[in-house]
């Protein structure tokens, strides 16, 4: 349970209708399997000790006593089991029958939660046998059951003393499908995990709707959600039960099974949920109407199996990626469209280096002009070769401008920079930061003055990853009049350019070819002289792989994870590419640079937010420019 992870599962046992002893043994088999896999919370289906499809047998004393005896058996057999369990069964109280979830831990019956919403339409007839838990009142009732004294109430929360972030609420099947779900109240009362023992019959396409309900509910409530569905062994007289069990977290399905018995497991990230709830100022809290029942679990390391993508900013599926790229390009272009229209700018001035970022900025600018119905010839693409420019990047910049249809201006800034260096006594063989930044600032000056000449706007090319690392020359490429790439991380920049290359292939093979050559060019500011005509200065050799930095950025900024947790996730997701030493080295570098370079982010030009992470000082990220990284770096030192 370190770093807020806890292993949770839905279980679908094989059942025999009305054979409570068999069903209890089948449930115990799953519990033992879960115990061996480190599961700490296990939810089993609705009425699984009897079977959901018993019909009028629910009115038989023999069945009800068999269910109670089966629960007593499970309590005795799990007295030494370090697991919170939910098992479904019918419970009788004062001549009323309730469809209940029994909550167990270490042989204790912590409580009985009754179903509130009883479906009595189409194929469902639950009101024929059961009463709603609302009849028990808010406080519920105390009663002896399965050899223990317990509480039967719809208003129970189960709080883990050894893991304070784990608070469990229970709703049952139809409770999820109604307009006013019990899970809403449970989450507002503090529940971070909702368990749903269910018996949802299967019809064509019902699984898609069920999945939508689960993702929407877990996302809306910012919670974990375990849905344990009945499956094999339920009566097939009129219906089929497919065991569609799912584990969700904050709008994402982590694990799913259908047409199978067994365990559906993943790991809930309690820290992630806590961060999101505290971040949302609109997330209320109201625990006044709940009785909290404590329980405890042993603390131990949770082995991860949940999906953690290497590139969290990039969709994994090719189809999803194309749709996402199209959407991002449109969003960024819409932002620039508004700025161009508002200012009445006659031109858009783009510094074109032949690298990825300026390529993307030009592509977005072209889309904005198309949206405005304007001639792309009013885009002024300016390439400014200097001491580090290679023939490859210069040629690519020229071809790109031509294929996009922009006006191209080539300005060799070498002579101007040399004059400036003479003015400040900077030696031409002194390849210091002054040598590099002098070129960057000269380029910005040229772009700004050209914008003044043509009544235009300078379009910024720096991306989100560079903003995080401060990899920009202050008042050089750091500055523009509208920064279209400011919300796009480097790993996504590459996919956007690749998407543009694929999209152009049918109509313009030369554009596709130049875009693909740009994709193959090493990322470089090209501020140092080439070696044998090749790029001598590779950004990722200096600041580290952008794949790592974007991973760090996503989990540190979007989710507020500690350096230790980011390191653990990076090892889990990227261990086939980077060893521990490499990951730790660049994570330290990320933390140092992220804190030290905030002053550059504090005075950024405007730019559109297109994803869940942005570093705009006017938008999502407010951080003092002189904040210390000491705590973060100290935690990383402790990992060595």
């Amino acid at each position: 349970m370190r770093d807020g992870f806890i292993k949770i599962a839905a279980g679908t046992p094989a059942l025999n209708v009305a054979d409570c002893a068999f069903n209890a043994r089948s449930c115990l088999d799953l519990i033992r399997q879960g115990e061996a896999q480190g599961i700490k919370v296990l939810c089993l289906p609705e009425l699984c000790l009897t079977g959901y499809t018993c019909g009028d047998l629910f009115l038989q004393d023999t069945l009800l006593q068999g269910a109670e005896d089966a629960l007593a058996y499970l309590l005795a057999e799990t007295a030494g089991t370090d697991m919170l369990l939910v098992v479904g069964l019918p419970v009788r109280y004062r001549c009323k029958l309730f469809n209940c979830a029994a909550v167990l831990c270490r042989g204790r019956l912590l409580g009985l939660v009754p179903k509130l919403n009883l479906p009595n339409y189409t194929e469902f007839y639950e009101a024929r046998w059961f009463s709603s838990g609302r009849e028990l009142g808010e406080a519920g009732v105390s009663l002896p059951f399965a050899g223990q004294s317990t509480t039967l109430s719809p208003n129970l929360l189960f709080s883990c003393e050894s893991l304070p972030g784990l608070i469990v609420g229970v709703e049952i099947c139809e409770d999820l499908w109604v307009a006013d779900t019990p899970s809403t109240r449970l989450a507002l009362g503090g529940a971070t995990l909702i368990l749903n023992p269910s018996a949802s019959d299967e019809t064509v396409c019902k699984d898609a709707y069920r999945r939508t309900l689960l993702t929407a509910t877990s996302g809306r409530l910012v919670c974990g959600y375990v849905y344990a569905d009945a499956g094999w062994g339920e009566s097939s007289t009129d219906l089929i039960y497919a065991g569609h069990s799912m584990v969700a977290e904050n709008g994402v399905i982590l694990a799913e099974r259908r047409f199978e018995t067994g365990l559906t497991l993943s790991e809930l990230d309690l820290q992630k949920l806590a961060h999101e709830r505290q971040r949302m100022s609109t997330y209320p809290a109201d625990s006044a109407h709940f009785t909290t029942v404590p329980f405890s679990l042993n603390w131990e390391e949770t082995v991860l199996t949940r999906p953690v993508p290497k590139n969290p900013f990039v969709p994994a599926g090719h189809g999803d990626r194309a749709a996402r790229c199209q959407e991002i390009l449109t969003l960024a272009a819409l932002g620039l469209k508004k700025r161009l229209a508002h200012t009445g700018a006659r031109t858009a001035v783009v510094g074109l280096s032949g690298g990825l970022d300026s390529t993307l900025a030009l592509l977005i600018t072209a889309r904005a002009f198309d949206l405005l119905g304007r001639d792309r010839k009013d885009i002024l693409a300016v390439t400014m070769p200097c001491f580090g420019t290679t023939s490859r990047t210069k040629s690519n910049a020229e071809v790109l401008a031509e294929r996009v249809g922009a006006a191209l201006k080539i300005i060799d800034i070498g002579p101007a920079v040399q004059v400036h260096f003479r003015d400040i006594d900077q030696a031409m063989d002194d390849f210091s930061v002054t040598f590099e930044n002098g070129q960057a600032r000269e380029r910005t000056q040229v772009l700004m003055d050209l914008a003044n000449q043509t009544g235009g706007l300078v379009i910024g090319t720096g991306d989100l990853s560079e903003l995080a690392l401060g990899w920009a020359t202050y008042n050089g490429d750091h500055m523009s009049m509208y920064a279209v790439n400011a919300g796009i991380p480097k790993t996504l920049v590459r996919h956007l350019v690749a998407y543009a290359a694929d999209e152009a292939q049918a109509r313009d093979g030369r554009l596709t070819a130049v875009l693909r050559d740009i994709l193959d060019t090493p990322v470089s500011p090209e501020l140092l002289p080439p070696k044998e005509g090749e790029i001598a200065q590779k950004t990722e050799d200096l600041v580290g792989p952008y794949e790592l930095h974007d991973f760090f950025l996503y989990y540190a900024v979007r989710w507020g994870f500690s350096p230790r947790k980011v390191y653990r996730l990076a090892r889990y997701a990227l261990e086939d590419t980077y060893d521990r030493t490499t990951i730790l080295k660049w994570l330290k570098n990320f933390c140092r640079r992220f804190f030290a370079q905030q002053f550059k982010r504090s005075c950024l030009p405007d730019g559109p937010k297109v994803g869940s992470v942005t570093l705009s000082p006017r938008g999502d990220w407010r951080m003092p420019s002189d904040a210390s990284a000491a705590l973060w770096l100290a935690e990383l030192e402790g990992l060595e």
Side-chain angles (χ1 to χ4, degrees):
M1 295 181 284
R2 186 177 180 179
D3 296 326
F5 291 113
I6 182 169
K7 197 172 290 291
I8 58 178
T12 299
L15 301 181
N16 283 339
V17 178
D19 189 344
C20 297
F22 174 89
N23 296 338
R25 291 193 299 271
S26 185
C27 290
L28 185 61
D29 286 343
L30 285 186
I31 292 168
R32 294 290 180 243
Q33 291 176 38
E35 192 175 16
Q37 296 181 63
I39 291 170
K40 295 297 182 181
V41 179
L42 173 60
C43 182
L44 297 169
E46 178 180 16
L47 296 171
C48 62
L49 291 184
T50 56
Y52 178 77
T53 50
C54 287
D56 286 352
L57 293 178
F58 282 124
L59 302 177
Q60 294 284 316
D61 288 347
T62 301
L63 183 71
L64 298 180
Q65 186 60 53
E68 186 172 353
D69 292 344
L71 183 63
Y73 166 79
L74 285 179
L75 286 165
E77 291 294 322
T78 60
T81 302
D82 187 47
M83 193 184 300
L84 183 77
L85 301 165
V86 167
V87 182
L89 78 166
V91 175
R92 181 167 53 191
Y93 176 73
R94 290 187 178 178
C95 301
K96 294 285 188 180
L97 196 59
F98 298 93
N99 179 347
C100 288
V103 183
L104 297 59
C105 186
R106 298 178 181 274
R108 289 178 53 221
L109 179 55
L110 301 180
L112 295 165
V113 180
K115 190 172 184 175
L116 298 182
N117 299 281
L118 303 176
N120 218 57
Y121 56 90
T122 59
E123 66 263 43
F124 300 108
Y125 296 92
E126 284 190 39
R128 180 181 176 92
W129 312 295
F130 298 106
S131 297
S132 168
R134 293 188 180 91
E135 296 187 20
L136 297 167
E138 286 192 358
V141 297
S142 297
L143 76 164
F145 196 79
Q148 299 188 25
S149 178
T150 192
T151 300
L152 171 62
S153 170
N155 296 310
L156 297 178
L157 288 172
F158 303 90
S159 179
C160 184
E161 294 180 322
S162 55
L163 190 60
L166 178 61
I167 302 175
V168 180
V170 180
E171 64 181 3
I172 302 174
C173 199
E174 182 75 8
D175 289 340
L176 171 65
W177 299 67
V178 300
D180 184 15
T181 63
S183 54
T184 300
R185 291 178 55 253
L186 292 166
L188 297 183
T192 52
L193 174 60
I194 305 296
L195 304 181
N196 187 325
S198 181
S200 179
D201 65 292
E202 204 66 30
T203 55
V204 174
C205 297
K206 190 176 181 180
D207 64 305
Y209 185 68
R210 192 185 294 117
R211 193 179 298 109
T212 298
L213 279 178
L214 205 66
T215 53
T217 300
S218 66
R220 178 173 56 86
L221 301 180
V222 191
C223 68
Y225 203 107
V226 176
Y227 186 91
D229 196 19
W232 175 255
E234 290 287 0
S235 174
S236 61
T237 301
D238 292 298
L239 303 171
I240 301 298
Y241 293 84
H244 187 194
S245 292
M246 293 173 281
V247 177
E249 176 190 88
N250 194 26
V252 176
I253 299 293
L254 298 177
E256 180 177 12
R257 286 163 68 99
R258 192 168 170 236
F259 301 118
E260 296 178 77
T261 57
L263 298 171
T264 305
L265 61 89
S266 190
E267 297 79 44
L268 181 66
D269 189 343
L270 294 167
Q271 289 181 359
K272 190 174 185 180
L273 297 175
H275 176 270
E276 189 70 348
R277 286 186 177 186
Q278 72 184 18
R279 190 178 74 101
M280 295 173 62
S281 60
T282 53
Y283 201 98
D286 178 16
S287 59
H289 303 297
F290 291 97
T291 299
T292 300
V293 182
F295 68 98
S296 188
L297 298 169
N298 291 337
W299 188 97
E300 60 187 55
E301 183 83 12
T302 301
V303 177
L304 296 181
T305 63
R306 60 182 277 153
V308 177
K310 292 182 177 182
N311 298 301
F313 291 108
V314 181
H318 181 74
D320 290 343
R321 192 178 307 153
R324 183 77 58 84
C325 288
Q326 176 67 23
E327 183 178 19
I328 291 169
L329 289 169
T330 300
L331 287 171
L334 285 171
L336 180 56
K337 173 190 175 184
K338 170 63 178 177
R339 184 54 52 93
L340 290 168
H342 176 73
T343 59
R346 296 199 304 272
T347 66
V349 181
V350 183
L352 203 56
S353 68
L356 279 172
D357 289 342
S358 64
T359 295
L360 180 60
L362 181 62
L363 293 172
I364 291 171
T365 303
R367 282 179 176 245
F369 269 66
D370 292 346
L371 291 171
L372 287 165
R374 291 184 54 180
D375 192 335
R376 290 185 181 185
K377 286 296 183 184
D378 287 336
I379 302 171
L380 180 56
V382 187
T383 184
M384 294 166 279
C386 199
F387 314 130
T389 305
T390 61
S391 58
R392 178 182 187 180
T393 53
K394 181 174 180 294
S395 172
N396 281 344
E398 294 171 3
V399 174
L400 179 62
E402 176 202 346
R403 303 317 300 172
V404 168
L408 174 66
K409 194 173 186 68
I410 304 172
I411 301 175
D412 183 352
I413 65 168
V417 173
Q418 287 177 317
V419 170
H420 175 60
F421 283 176
R422 286 199 299 271
D423 290 343
I424 64 171
D425 294 325
Q426 169 71 25
M428 287 298 298
D429 58 356
D430 177 7
F431 299 146
S432 63
V433 67
T434 306
F435 182 89
E436 297 184 39
N437 287 348
Q439 299 170 70
R441 291 194 178 99
E442 177 61 25
R443 287 185 171 121
T444 299
Q445 174 177 261
V446 169
L447 294 174
M448 291 289 181
D449 290 343
L450 286 172
N452 289 160
Q453 277 186 343
T454 60
L457 294 180
V458 175
I459 309 304
T461 61
D463 64 48
L464 180 64
S465 306
E466 293 178 341
L467 294 178
L469 296 169
W471 191 249
T473 299
Y474 192 83
N475 206 33
D477 52 308
H478 159 258
M479 193 47 58
S480 67
M481 296 173 181
Y482 195 74
V484 293
N485 293 346
I488 305 174
K490 186 76 76 176
T491 49
L492 187 54
V493 169
R494 182 170 293 279
H495 285 278
L496 289 167
V497 174
Y499 167 76
D502 293 342
E503 188 186 41
Q505 187 164 10
R507 68 176 188 278
D508 191 340
R510 288 191 64 198
L511 177 57
T512 294
V514 73
L515 290 175
R516 287 180 176 162
D517 193 61
I518 289 168
L519 285 163
D520 291 338
T521 303
V523 177
S524 172
E526 289 195 314
L527 295 172
L528 295 179
K531 293 181 178 178
E532 298 179 357
E534 298 295 329
I535 292 173
Q537 187 183 26
K538 296 180 181 179
T539 299
E540 291 181 292
D541 291 344
L542 301 171
V543 297
Y546 278 115
E547 184 177 45
L548 283 176
H549 285 307
D550 284 359
F551 188 94
F552 303 153
L553 173 65
Y554 179 77
Y555 287 104
V557 172
R558 173 63 182 88
W559 297 109
F561 288 170
S562 67
R564 181 187 66 244
K565 186 167 182 176
V566 173
Y567 174 62
R568 182 186 180 190
L569 289 174
R571 284 174 46 201
Y572 174 68
L574 294 154
E575 61 185 354
D576 60 339
T577 308
Y578 307 96
D579 59 33
R580 295 185 180 190
T581 302
T582 301
I583 292 172
L584 188 58
K585 171 188 173 181
W586 294 119
L587 180 53
K588 288 179 179 179
N589 188 56
F590 174 85
C591 289
R592 280 192 294 265
R593 293 194 65 99
F594 188 82
F595 276 81
Q597 301 294 311
Q598 173 62 27
F599 74 99
K600 295 179 182 177
R601 299 189 292 268
S602 293
C603 56
L604 286 177
D606 293 352
K609 175 181 178 178
V610 297
S612 61
V613 178
T614 179
L615 295 174
S616 167
R618 298 166 299 277
D620 290 23
W621 190 250
R622 289 165 173 80
M623 174 181 172
S625 296
D626 45 11
S628 171
L631 284 173
W632 286 259
L633 292 173
E635 186 172 302
L636 289 173
E637 291 298 333
L639 297 177
E640 292 182 337

